[in-house]
Amino acid sequence: MKHFTFALLTLSHLSIGGIGFAVGIYLLPILIAPDAPSTQEIQKKIEGSLFIGQFDRDRLGSDRFHWGEGDVYLSRDVIALDGKLAPGPDYKIYLSPYYIETEQAFLEHRQHMRYVSDVKTFDNFMVNVPSGIDISKFNTVVVWCETFGEYITSAQFKD
């Protein structure tokens, strides 16, 4: 009986520790996220947008924990989202010449993509496009979680 009680207590403590760790991984990016740009700040920055796309929760590769929604604006020097992303760690923005809607498609075409920037906010974001990247050579903006190798969302901004 003593061994059973010890095993049960060990299992319960490890389970609670594991749950706490998982919740911490989920909440930490939210807690340390910088202030997101306001919709007004985004509107000022995107007046000269060349392309507009849309993040949608119903992407084939999105799910309950990996999604984005809202309008994505692309100009020569800025990519901005007026919307929301599911919170998570280590989000990256990529530009792809191929439409990407799943993790498999991302991995298959990654060598043709260009990394643009990290994303640190989940309600709206604004990132600078590095010099040397011509956004007109791409048709899709992708949000990818580098740490867990997860597709978050994408928006096709031209055919």
Side-chain angles (χ1 to χ4, degrees), residues 1 3 10 18 25 40 55-56 64 76 82 90 116 148:
M1 187 70 168
H3 292 296
T10 301
I25 286 176
Q40 292 80 12
F55 288 157
D56 185 335
R64 172 183 225 175
R76 284 188 189 93
D82 187 7
D90 203 19
V116 175
F148 295 107

Side-chain angles (χ1 to χ4, degrees), residues 44-105:
K44 284 181 188 176
K45 200 70 166 166
I46 59 169
E47 287 176 1
S49 294
L50 301 173
F51 304 103
I52 300 173
Q54 191 169 46
F55 288 157
D56 185 335
R57 284 184 185 241
D58 296 328
R59 293 283 179 257
L60 189 59
S62 294
D63 60 32
R64 172 183 225 175
F65 300 107
H66 309 100
W67 54 266
E69 63 184 4
D71 294 322
V72 183
Y73 301 89
L74 296 94
S75 67
R76 284 188 189 93
D77 58 351
V78 172
I79 298 175
L81 168 67
D82 187 7
K84 296 180 182 231
L85 295 173
D90 203 19
Y91 283 2
K92 311 284 186 195
I93 297 287
Y94 287 88
L95 290 172
S96 172
Y98 305 102
Y99 179 60
I100 304 295
E101 193 176 22
T102 64
E103 180 179 323
Q104 181 181 355

Side-chain angles (χ1 to χ4, degrees), residues 1-15:
M1 187 70 168
K2 223 176 190 181
H3 292 296
F4 177 74
T5 303
F6 178 75
L8 188 60
L9 285 173
T10 301
L11 181 62
S12 68
H13 283 72
L14 288 174
S15 297

